Amino acid sequence: MDANDPVVKLDHVRKQYGSFVAVHEADFAIGRGEFFAMLGPSGCGKTTTLKMIAGFEQPTDGRVLLEGADVSQVPPHKRNVNTVFQQYALFPHMSVFDNVAFGPRAKKISEAETTKRVNEMLDVVRLGEFASRRPAQLSGGQQQRVALARALVNYPSALLLDEPLAALDLKLREAMQIELKRIQREVGITFVFVTHDQGEALTMSDRIAVMSEGRVEQVGAPQDIYMRPQTLFVAGFIGSANLLPGTVASVDGGVIRIDLVGGAQVAVSSSQCADSVDLAVGARVTVMVRPEHAILGNGSEGLAVSVTDTVFQGSSMRIVGRLSNNTEVVALAPIDPSAPTPVPGSQCSITWHATSPYVLGGWPETAGSTTTNVDSIEAAL
Amino acid sequence: MSGALSTRQRNGRRFINGVAIAAMLYLFAPIVMIVLFSFNNPKGKFNIVWRGFTLKNWKHPFASPELTDALLVSLKVAVISTVCATILGTMIALSLSRYKFKGSGVVNLFLVLPLTSPEIVLGSSLATLFIARGTTFGYVTVIIAHIMFQVSFVAVTLRARIRGFDWTLEQAAMDLGATPQRAFWKVTFPLILPGILAAALLSFALSIDDFIITFFNAGSLVTFPLQIFGASRVAIPPQINVLATMILMGSISLMVVGFVLGLRREKITLGTAKSSGK
């Protein structure tokens, strides 16, 4: 994977429907062989962006480049990208073999070559013995793999996947995540993957573009995005975080001192700070602390917390508490049989290592813990 | 289980079965009579009273040349008008269910009008139109008249059949490199073909059957229904029954063919068919 050899490049792409802007200024490149995810809540513009790469939508402004050539106005059937649709869109009147052979036949590739390629690809997705079946006779996971084979058999420059795992149940989804990675390694084709599931994006992708309300918030490797989010949205959307608003008190010798709303002052190394954050004295900033980085103490130092709830999670204990100004915070503590577990109603404190906190510009809409996870998003939808 | 049925339940069942049989009789008695009387040996010109069994009507089904000619006229009209109406109606149904365009609501309304307005109004107003334009009545006017109501019929039935068609299939085909034309002929068309055929068969039957609109626009042309209507005042030859029975058998065999094809398709999807590839 090489970002200097982009397969897909979005050059200041903008998509507008009437007065509604679906995508603002998407501007990033996807490298050869990369497993690239576009991640965001529904309505963030990720599917529209995918459709512009596939050719089903044309950008209002900007250009879509494929292998260096501007394809902004090229219709889908003349673009060398293929899509795996959310509901697979397999042709119900054709056998699995004919479904997969559809692309090569449309491109007038000889029948002998087509047969060879189709069988090869059916082996890659491990559906060799199902060639004569109809899609309706296959399980959801098998249909998914037919859709993959049908797209990959054309050796596209990039494979576009639109929420490919959304229609599968949880167990199958996890199995298909591994399967997708294996297939991608085997064929070495660039995968562009649209998902609203941050866990899926983190585990599968080489790089992620996080989108919100039509804007690309951040593009980067999963670790980067998790450890060094550039915006409050990314910090809250990827994993869970405690977002503690405050104002800059001083910047001195590589240390930022921040007065948290509610009283306490914390010091953060200036290397632990998002790019282009306004660090003028008095500027509004937010300190992010991941729950697994919050260390519970007995109250002599750090932020005082009154425990409201504890949840046993097997490998760890989830402790929910409130700061003195009623901001909710969450800490994940390892299970330690020798240490006393805090009980609801008790007082304790949280501290963290110097490398743990991260400073972001601005204030969050709601201070305190964010618990964005797929289940809560799906429940909300 | 069945031993546990109470008298009341048994009586209830008998009642339901009785009603069902009565309804079937009501539906099928006229058809049975048509078939039965094609074997009648009538005295005089009216095939109304049973006079004994004979095969002579069937040996000479085309003994009445006026009747045969009229049937041929009807078939000719029906074939031509059905082909035209099916092509036009299919295009209307496709565009209405695929695209939202300005005026699609109006088209929808106009589509239903010929189906809901009385035939006598359609027939007479169409005739007025032809007279005003000085058109000679004949094949052309009858075919135009039939296409008019068949188009609506095909479009409305087909639109109902393809409601819920997954248009991403066409997108998928184009995504795989098919031109829009190829995507239509290889994916959309085969999938909606059963619907098109069903609509075509029904509208064919409407054309063969039509009397009122045809009556106003036929001029000297005599179709099968017109011939029978005209003849019935002077004679009802048993050949009417023979030809009607033939038409009946024709449509039944079409239904059987459709059923068998459906069964075979089901078998394929159940995985009994072997071999991959084409």
Side-chain angles (χ1 to χ4, degrees), chain A residues 56 76-77 81-83 85 89-95 97-98 102-103 105-108 111 131-132 134 137 150 154, chain B residues 166 168-169 171-180 182 186-187 190-191 268-271 273-278:
Chain A
F56 296 122
H77 65 274
V81 289
N82 288 117
T83 308
F85 291 84
L90 299 177
F91 306 129
H93 58 303
M94 297 181 193
S95 66
F97 184 96
D98 290 338
F102 190 91
R105 284 177 185 158
K107 289 179 182 146
K108 313 277 180 230
E111 202 54 34
S132 61
R134 297 267 170 153
Q137 297 167 259
R150 187 178 70 172
N154 307 296
Chain B
D166 183 6
T168 51
L169 291 177
Q171 277 194 0
M174 287 188 262
D175 184 76
L176 291 167
T179 59
R182 188 179 171 92
K186 291 280 175 183
V187 176
L191 287 172
I268 292 170
T269 43
L270 286 175
K274 275 185 197 153
S275 96
S276 66
K278 313 203 91 179

Side-chain angles (χ1 to χ4, degrees), chain B residues 41-94:
Chain B
N41 189 9
K43 273 185 195 154
K45 292 181 170 176
F46 288 88
N47 182 20
I48 293 171
V49 185
W50 184 256
R51 303 279 183 190
F53 182 84
T54 177
L55 284 175
K56 77 173 184 206
N57 308 324
W58 278 90
K59 280 182 191 148
H60 308 285
F62 304 113
S64 164
E66 308 85 45
L67 210 54
T68 313
D69 287 348
L71 183 61
L72 285 179
V73 168
S74 268
L75 287 175
K76 230 182 267 180
V77 168
V79 167
I80 296 172
S81 66
T82 302
V83 168
C84 297
T86 304
I87 293 171
L88 293 171
T90 302
M91 295 199 293
I92 294 174
L94 279 174

Side-chain angles (χ1 to χ4, degrees), chain A residues 199-213:
Chain A
E200 213 165 86
L202 287 176
T203 48
M204 298 175 73
S205 330
D206 298 317
R207 283 196 310 147
I208 301 172
V210 185
M211 296 183 70
S212 165
E213 292 176 350

Side-chain angles (χ1 to χ4, degrees), chain A residues 128-148:
Chain A
E129 71 259 49
F130 293 98
S132 61
R133 296 268 187 105
R134 297 267 170 153
Q137 297 167 259
L138 302 179
S139 71
Q142 289 168 333
Q143 292 184 16
Q144 163 95 79
R145 283 184 281 161
V146 176
L148 269 171

